[in-house]
Amino acid sequence: MPWQLKQSSKLVMTYTFLFFILALCLFAPYYFTNTSLIWQSDGIAQHYPALVEWQSDLKNIIFNHAFPTNWSWKLGLGSDYYQTFSYYTLGDIFTYGIAFISEKYLLTYYNVMIIIRLYLAGLACLMFIQHWFKSSPTWQYQIVAFTYVFSGYTAFSAFEHPFFINPLIIFPLLIWSMHYALTQNKYVPLILMVFWTIWNNFYFAFMLIIGLIVFWIGYHYQHKSWLAWQSHLKILFAGILSLMLAAPLFLPSVDAVLNSARTNNGLANGLTIYPLYYYLALPGNLIANLTTPSFWLTGGFSAISVMAIVFSLRRWHRYQLFNILWVITFLGCCTPIFAAILNGGSSPSNRWLFMLSLPISVMLFQMLRHLSELTFHDYLSFFIVGIIATISLLIISNFNLNMRYGMIIAIYFVTLIMLWFSQSSSGFRPIWLVILVLVNIFFITSRNHTNNTNPAKTDLLSNDTVKQLLTQQKEYPKSKQGSFTRSYVDNQLNNMTGIAPATNLPINGPLNNIESYWSLQNGAVGQGLAPLNISTANPNDITGNLDSRNVLSNLLGVADRFENPGTLTPHSYIADNNKIINGQTLAHSDNAYPLLYLTNNNVNRNFYNRLSATQKEAVLADSIVTRTGKQHASAFANSVVTGKVRTDLTKAATQKMHMTYTTHPELSPEGFYLRPSKALKGTELHLEISNLQFKPFTFKQQQKAALANYQYMHKQNKQNPQTLIDRQYNKQAYTWNWYKKNISTIGNGISGYTLTATYNDFTNSFKQTGQANLSFYNPLKQVTLNLGQATKTNQETFIPLTFSKAGHYSFDVQIKGIPTDKRFDKVASTIINRAPTYQLTDNQIKTRIRVNKSQILATTIPYSHGWIVNGHNKLIKLDSGFIGIPLKVGQNNIKLTYHTPGMNFAKYMCLFGFIILLILLLCQLRKHPKSIN
């Protein structure tokens, strides 16, 4: 025992020293350049705002014994606090330390904790390997620990999603606890580890438990112990007990997932196979990682780790279980449905591959222990794999001999030579192999981040920028005492914009910003807003910026808009140029609807479903929509105007027109004409696109289209006497270079496209996400683009359309004008004047209202079965996705209360599980009392 402790201490000290050196090389440049480790996309949009909010709430829990309210109005239109943040902060024990530091050191804490998580992941691997393999040289443990931690997965997640490192810490300990339970018949460590797994994050828990089950199956397969029913029942009991302990986060999370906006897009995004470019990149992904992981296949294992897999495969019977795992993994990487199932039955994300690092580490250790067994055929196999990976990297680099993967390829073959040298030379010192492995993982981790210290190209925010963004949230104005208003805050990142422009930063200030970007969005509201065809909405952001639509913005209670220069301002919103806040102009509307309001119209759902998107928006302005609605008309919807359009000035205009477009060289832009109409005056124009279909060009067709465009432009320039003769024109060379440049994109037709329309110098675009997009995949056949306020309605106007991708487009178009003048002012004024007053407190809304007939009180409160009225669940889910409250004739005293779904039951489960765990511990202590010397 003393010897084992001495060995463990030596291993940890050596690992700590080497990790310090490596971490210094990786992260010191960020310290010296004042660059944070916060990604300009999800980092500043999700992770850091959530951490800031959690710091305040955690301090309240610890020091004031006050838990956060179940319902938060700061999360978009309103959302459950626990369901939203369980994914980000609540279960992450590495965020708990923020309760004991001041706010000014929070950014430092965020940065440092990334390094600490990486360190602990390696430490967990050391513990795991030492559990199985004892009495081996220190250098072997070090190589395994570092290759486990540093791969393409951590190279991406450490900078983009820091809490994604947590599973690397948990997984080795989880497998160890299962092995300990199976061999020692002691289950408390397993109970605690499964609890931590589930508590940490429900998403990763799903994958980690699958990994644990795979190990459990492998163990019983190896030991032929399938009939050990007593052990099986104990394992099952341990799992159930762990689930009971983690229930307060797990059960609400499951409810949120089942009722989220991301659950209806089909398994694997509809893919049966991946596009060809994915398979071409697959071998190269073994040793290198792409800047943007394709289908989240991060890859990028160290060269020596890849060789360990080959070493295993060449000894099929000795390492049969591992080899079966490699084969299943390979087949899984080639099958979108496999990835989708391991991603919770949604998009085909190969994020699950992080678990492969552990069995690879075990096999690497085996190879290092048996280096003397390597044969010529092993080295030949290593060499062939390296050649295949090199060819793959050449293809995805478009055969660029100056490609940035050169060092990774060189390191692979140098590692091969060093392994041979270590076997053939008696004087070889393992320290050189350790150094080479550290160099290898340094390049894997840092290669895609070389621009992060360049302020013009970085994907990371500077420390000063992060602090400035956080400070400026508090500069936005507070709502008046006793009132509730919603706001829209424009993009705050300006020229640093990524795919998620900091939409959640306002949660750290006084505003209730309607736009939010979280993984789990309210499914009811998502379904309710979907028929309105909001072009900027997606499953992660169900409102988007509402496409700056006037009626919809007011309907959802947006009183204030904080806009950047160039943003389209809806008609009702009056900009105050004297109120510039954080570089944004404040625009205010007096037409913003209250949280609770009454309408006279209850429109039938079937009638509503037959209307166009703009007409539906107009219906919601003066009506509610329910299944039992009797009415088939809306006064305001009747005022929606349809414009007449045509593509040819010699033909008659129609209200709806079918258009087709095939990419070709052109001088005149594609588009259509809008006929003059006085009826359009005072309206906001919506371009409604329906029956949208797109068939991308094949690879050969893309080449022909590009060449045709090249020739067309040359011909145009040649005919222009003001242009010099192009002496560089060479269509054969152009074709050659086109193939060379685009060979890596074969099959990228699934990647989506952008359709853009321009009216009155205002341009609006719609991005159709492709099947390769995992988080935002939301295929649409109908979409509506807001073109802004109608102008020059007395003359014919041409509306050009542009398309970003080569192919065949087919769609129907029509122009709808929704009133934004006095007609809408009158509707909004009526709604506002009839609205009841209410009291808004934590998790509760109270109001009193008298009505002369039975009707429904409309709200813009997102529907959730966590809401109850007067102690009963008699609420109505309006077709808009919001709550409707039934009113009886006479006086109605309403108390609307919210409880996180499943939380009360989960608390009792947790308490009961804790009692059982205490009993188990007491029984174990009585059975094995400590010896007294």
Side-chain angles (χ1 to χ4, degrees):
M1 190 68 172
W3 180 86
Q4 289 180 346
L5 289 174
K6 185 177 180 180
Q7 186 196 32
S8 298
S9 299
K10 183 180 178 182
L11 289 176
V12 172
M13 290 177 64
T14 306
Y15 168 74
T16 302
F17 173 75
L18 293 176
F19 184 90
F20 175 80
I21 299 298
L22 182 61
L24 202 63
C25 295
L26 288 172
F27 298 106
Y30 300 105
Y31 174 79
F32 291 117
T33 59
N34 195 35
T35 303
S36 76
L37 300 181
I38 295 180
W39 188 25
Q40 65 169 340
S41 185
D42 287 9
I44 195 63
Q46 293 182 327
H47 307 314
Y48 195 65
L51 189 67
V52 172
E53 188 74 5
W54 177 228
Q55 182 183 44
S56 173
D57 295 331
L58 187 58
K59 287 184 176 182
N60 269 331
I61 293 172
I62 296 174
F63 302 114
N64 302 325
H65 312 297
F67 283 82
T69 58
N70 297 49
W71 185 264
S72 173
W73 292 108
K74 290 185 176 183
L75 303 175
L77 298 170
S79 187
D80 187 289
Y81 176 95
Y82 295 93
Q83 290 182 336
T84 301
F85 290 129
S86 64
Y87 182 80
Y88 297 95
T89 54
L90 301 186
D92 183 2
I93 63 173
F94 298 105
T95 66
Y96 292 178
I98 59 177
F100 307 101
I101 65 171
S102 66
E103 185 178 320
K104 68 178 182 178
Y105 295 118
L106 183 60
L107 179 54
T108 302
Y109 182 92
Y110 179 96
N111 293 331
V112 170
M113 284 310 298
I114 291 175
I115 303 172
I116 290 176
R117 291 177 209 249
L118 292 171
Y119 173 79
L120 292 177
L123 217 53
C125 182
L126 272 181
M127 175 183 171
F128 176 86
I129 294 296
Q130 196 181 19
H131 171 74
W132 262 270
F133 305 103
K134 300 178 176 63
S135 305
S136 291
T138 300
W139 66 272
Q140 294 178 359
Y141 292 100
Q142 303 305 322
I143 286 178
V144 169
F146 281 100
T147 54
Y148 170 77
V149 178
F150 295 97
S151 65
Y153 176 81
T154 48
F156 187 76
S157 61
F159 296 89
E160 277 79 6
H161 308 281
F163 69 88
F164 281 20
I165 304 171
N166 293 2
L168 291 175
I169 304 171
I170 294 172
F171 195 42
L173 303 179
L174 184 64
I175 300 297
W176 167 83
S177 66
M178 173 63 85
H179 187 256
Y180 188 73
L182 292 170
T183 56
Q184 304 297 321
N185 201 31
K186 294 180 181 178
Y187 295 88
V188 171
L190 178 62
I191 292 169
L192 295 177
M193 281 309 306
V194 175
F195 159 71
W196 184 18
T197 302
I198 299 172
W199 183 266
N200 173 73
N201 183 286
F202 67 89
Y203 173 72
F204 283 108
F206 175 78
M207 286 182 274
L208 290 172
I209 296 301
I210 290 177
L212 184 65
I213 292 172
V214 170
F215 171 80
W216 178 81
I217 292 172
Y219 177 88
H220 287 294
Y221 175 83
Q222 187 176 31
H223 293 84
K224 311 300 180 185
S225 53
W226 296 110
L227 299 179
W229 296 110
Q230 189 175 10
S231 172
H232 299 342
L233 291 174
K234 287 180 179 179
I235 294 292
L236 181 61
F237 174 76
I240 293 173
L241 183 55
S242 301
L243 186 60
M244 292 171 66
L245 293 170
L249 282 188
F250 180 72
L251 292 186
S253 298
V254 170
D255 179 86
V257 171
L258 296 177
N259 294 284
S260 74
R262 295 181 66 173
T263 57
N264 300 311
N265 287 327
L267 183 66
N269 290 5
L271 290 172
T272 53
I273 60 172
Y274 290 112
L276 182 58
Y277 70 82
Y278 171 89
Y279 296 108
L280 292 174
L282 202 55
N285 256 314
L286 277 172
I287 63 174
N289 50 316
L290 303 180
T291 305
T292 303
S294 179
F295 295 96
W296 242 97
L297 185 79
T298 47
F301 298 106
S302 66
I304 199 168
S305 297
V306 175
M307 294 173 190
I309 298 174
V310 178
F311 170 84
S312 170
L313 287 169
R314 284 191 38 77
R315 292 153 181 82
W316 181 269
H317 294 292
R318 188 198 297 185
Y319 304 113
Q320 188 177 35
L321 286 177
F322 284 91
N323 291 324
I324 291 172
L325 181 62
W326 309 142
V327 172
I328 293 174
T329 298
F330 174 74
L331 295 175
C333 286
C334 294
T335 312
I337 292 177
F338 185 93
I341 291 172
L342 264 69
N343 195 39
S346 57
S347 56
S349 171
N350 286 290
R351 200 173 279 165
W352 57 276
L353 273 174
F354 77 87
M355 293 188 291
L356 197 66
S357 296
L358 191 60
I360 288 177
S361 297
V362 174
M363 188 47 57
L364 174 58
F365 200 88
Q366 288 281 32
M367 188 183 78
L368 293 176
R369 294 176 74 199
H370 299 89
L371 281 180
S372 60
E373 296 180 12
L374 293 179
T375 66
F376 170 78
H377 290 95
D378 286 317
Y379 287 111
L380 180 61
S381 300
F382 297 161
F383 180 78
I384 291 173
V385 169
I387 291 296
I388 294 172
T390 299
I391 294 172
S392 172
L393 293 175
L394 275 169
I395 291 173
I396 65 177
S397 300
N398 300 315
F399 294 100
N400 180 5
L401 297 181
N402 295 317
M403 65 174 175
R404 50 200 178 85
Y405 297 108
M407 183 60 73
I408 294 293
I409 295 171
I411 289 174
Y412 181 90
F413 289 104
V414 170
T415 303
L416 175 61
I417 294 170
M418 187 168 287
L419 277 182
W420 174 83
F421 189 73
S422 69
Q423 187 181 11
S424 61
S425 173
S426 58
F428 177 77
R429 301 188 65 181
I431 185 63
W432 296 112
L433 185 58
V434 174
I435 292 173
L436 180 60
V437 169
L438 291 177
V439 171
N440 190 175
I441 61 178
F442 168 80
F443 274 97
I444 288 173
T445 307
S446 61
R447 186 183 57 82
N448 288 337
H449 302 284
T450 54
N451 287 329
N452 283 347
T453 53
N454 181 345
K457 296 181 179 180
T458 182
D459 289 330
L460 303 178
L461 295 167
S462 71
N463 290 312
D464 291 340
T465 299
V466 174
K467 292 175 183 177
Q468 181 187 26
L469 284 168
L470 190 62
T471 300
Q472 74 182 36
Q473 304 312 307
K474 299 172 184 177
E475 297 175 5
Y476 288 106
K478 296 180 180 179
S479 299
K480 295 179 181 178
Q481 190 70 26
S483 66
F484 172 81
T485 58
R486 292 190 175 113
S487 304
Y488 167 71
V489 182
D490 215 342
N491 169 34
Q492 298 183 64
L493 293 188
N494 303 326
N495 64 331
M496 282 294 293
T497 300
I499 60 172
T503 54
N504 294 324
L505 271 172
I507 69 170
N508 304 136
L511 298 181
N512 300 308
N513 184 33
I514 56 141
E515 187 175 12
S516 67
Y517 170 64
W518 303 108
S519 289
L520 297 179
Q521 296 280 346
N522 188 295
V525 178
Q527 292 171 5
L529 296 181
L532 305 182
N533 297 340
I534 304 170
S535 62
T536 56
N538 62 71
N540 282 18
D541 184 358
I542 54 176
T543 62
N545 63 1
L546 298 180
D547 201 18
S548 295
R549 294 196 204 173
N550 185 74
V551 174
L552 185 56
S553 297
N554 282 287
L555 171 63
L556 295 182
V558 180
D560 297 311
R561 288 171 54 92
F562 299 89
E563 302 174 335
N564 294 327
T567 297
L568 178 66
T569 304
H571 185 71
S572 294
Y573 293 82
I574 307 303
D576 187 346
N577 293 321
N578 294 320
K579 289 188 178 180
I580 307 296
I581 301 168
N582 300 324
Q584 296 176 327
T585 301
L586 170 60
H588 177 78
S589 172
D590 291 327
N591 287 340
Y593 284 29
L595 194 62
L596 313 175
Y597 60 93
L598 279 174
T599 67
N600 290 324
N601 296 346
N602 186 351
V603 172
N604 181 268
R605 177 188 300 170
N606 292 330
F607 165 75
Y608 176 78
N609 289 339
R610 292 194 295 267
L611 301 176
S612 72
T614 304
Q615 290 170 321
K616 289 173 182 174
E617 180 179 343
V619 166
L620 295 179
D622 68 353
S623 313
I624 59 171
V625 182
T626 65
R627 179 177 57 83
T628 57
K630 305 290 186 188
Q631 297 180 358
H632 293 75
S634 158
F636 187 64
N638 289 337
S639 64
V640 172
V641 182
T642 303
K644 290 189 175 184
V645 294
R646 56 181 174 177
T647 56
D648 189 336
L649 293 176
T650 63
K651 295 181 180 179
T654 58
Q655 291 189 342
K656 191 172 187 178
M657 178 179 59
H658 181 72
M659 293 185 68
T660 58
Y661 172 75
T662 300
T663 305
H664 63 280
E666 57 184 17
L667 184 61
S668 301
E670 186 70 18
F672 61 92
Y673 294 91
L674 173 64
R675 288 283 292 155
S677 173
K678 292 182 179 179
L680 292 175
K681 188 176 182 180
T683 68
E684 179 182 87
L685 296 187
H686 291 174
L687 170 59
E688 295 190 343
I689 300 172
S690 56
N691 300 317
L692 179 59
Q693 295 181 356
F694 169 64
K695 183 179 180 181
F697 277 175
T698 64
F699 187 69
K700 183 63 177 177
Q701 287 174 327
Q702 291 178 45
Q703 182 270 323
K704 287 184 176 179
L707 179 60
N709 189 64
Y710 176 70
Q711 293 174 305
Y712 175 80
M713 294 305 298
H714 174 71
K715 183 178 179 181
Q716 293 295 318
N717 291 331
K718 189 177 180 180
Q719 293 174 350
N720 186 351
Q722 302 300 320
T723 305
L724 293 175
I725 298 174
D726 183 5
R727 305 295 186 187
Q728 294 179 320
Y729 176 73
N730 185 333
K731 68 177 184 178
Q732 288 86 359
Y734 177 86
T735 300
W736 171 269
N737 275 279
W738 188 93
Y739 277 120
K740 181 181 173 183
K741 183 179 179 181
N742 292 278
I743 191 71
S744 63
T745 66
I746 297 178
N748 73 343
I750 68 167
S751 62
Y753 58 89
T754 300
L755 189 157
T756 302
T758 302
Y759 173 78
N760 192 29
D761 296 327
F762 172 72
T763 298
N764 200 355
S765 298
F766 159 64
K767 295 181 180 180
Q768 179 76 283
T769 52
Q771 291 170 290
N773 195 307
L774 304 184
S775 296
F776 299 92
Y777 179 61
N778 186 32
L780 297 176
K781 295 294 184 183
Q782 286 80 226
V783 68
T784 298
L785 293 178
N786 179 12
L787 300 181
Q789 204 68 15
T791 59
K792 301 177 182 178
T793 56
N794 60 343
Q795 64 185 49
E796 192 115 10
T797 306
F798 181 69
I799 300 177
L801 302 176
T802 56
F803 309 86
S804 67
K805 198 159 196 168
H808 306 279
Y809 296 84
S810 172
F811 50 91
D812 297 324
V813 298
Q814 59 180 338
I815 293 288
K816 295 286 186 180
I818 185 170
T820 55
D821 53 12
K822 293 180 180 180
R823 289 170 287 181
F824 175 64
D825 294 344
K826 183 178 179 180
V827 173
S829 177
T830 302
I831 293 288
I832 294 169
N833 292 334
R834 293 186 60 199
T837 59
Y838 57 88
Q839 293 178 308
L840 195 64
T841 56
D842 292 349
N843 301 320
Q844 198 172 87
I845 303 169
K846 292 181 180 179
T847 187
R848 299 176 65 185
I849 185 170
R850 178 179 292 275
V851 291
N852 298 324
K853 62 179 182 179
S854 297
Q855 59 185 114
I856 296 173
L857 180 64
T859 77
T860 53
I861 302 171
Y863 179 85
S864 165
H865 56 271
W867 287 104
I868 58 173
V869 59
N870 297 337
H872 302 285
N873 188 13
K874 294 183 178 180
L875 296 170
I876 297 172
K877 182 168 74 171
L878 304 178
D879 275 34
S880 58
F882 299 107
I883 288 174
I885 305 171
L887 301 177
K888 62 184 180 180
V889 176
Q891 184 70 30
N892 291 264
N893 297 319
I894 296 171
K895 184 169 73 172
L896 199 61
T897 308
Y898 183 80
H899 299 283
T900 298
M903 182 63 80
N904 289 334
F905 177 65
K907 288 178 181 177
Y908 287 114
M909 282 185 67
C910 180
L911 178 61
F912 188 47
F914 184 69
I915 292 171
I916 295 174
L917 181 61
L918 284 178
I919 293 172
L920 288 176
L921 289 171
L922 289 172
C923 291
Q924 191 167 330
L925 287 173
R926 289 187 62 185
K927 188 176 180 180
H928 304 285
K930 293 182 180 179
S931 57
I932 301 176
N933 295 326

